[in-house]
Amino acid sequence: MAKIKITHKHTRSDDEVVEAAKGLAERLEKEHGLICEWSDYSATMKGKGVSGRLLIAPGRIDIEVTLGLAMSLFKGLVEREMRDYLVRHLS
C-alpha cells in the first residue's frame, strides 16, 4: 500500500476552499471512481483500492489517501493531479 499526504496552505475564504475541494472531489469521482461523502469541512473518499479523507482547516487543506496494491502503481500520477489542482484553484 502507498500513502499520499498533502497539506496545501491558502489565503482563501472558507467558501472558496470548500468550492475548490468539492471540485477536486468531483474530479476524483469522475476520473478514478471514488465516492466522496461530505460533512461540513471534511470528506471521506472510498473506491476500489483507494480510501482517504480531506479536511479543510483555517489557512490549509489536508488530504490523506491510502492506495491499494494495484493503485499504488499510479501514486505519482494521483498525487501530482491533486497537487496541481490545489495550486490552480487555491493559490
Side-chain angles (χ1 to χ4, degrees):
M1 286 201 275
K3 294 193 182 266
I4 298 171
K5 290 186 180 183
I6 297 171
T7 295
H8 183 84
K9 295 183 180 179
H10 64 81
T11 58
R12 303 288 181 103
S13 71
D14 288 347
D15 290 339
E16 290 175 305
V17 177
V18 169
E19 184 177 327
K22 286 186 176 182
L24 175 59
E26 288 173 11
R27 184 173 176 175
L28 293 171
E29 287 176 339
K30 183 178 174 182
E31 294 181 9
H32 300 286
L34 296 182
I35 296 171
C36 298
E37 296 179 5
W38 283 89
S39 174
D40 296 324
Y41 293 103
S42 66
T44 57
M45 301 172 277
K46 295 179 184 174
K48 188 173 179 179
V50 181
S51 65
R53 69 177 187 88
L54 180 148
L55 176 64
I56 298 169
R60 74 176 199 275
I61 184 168
D62 297 319
I63 302 171
E64 292 184 16
V65 177
T66 302
L67 303 173
L69 185 60
M71 284 299 293
S72 66
L73 298 172
F74 301 101
K75 178 185 180 216
L77 175 66
V78 173
E79 184 171 4
R80 186 170 50 252
E81 285 180 7
M82 289 190 292
R83 287 186 186 278
D84 289 350
Y85 185 93
L86 293 171
V87 167
R88 280 194 314 276
H89 293 87
L90 291 176
S91 293

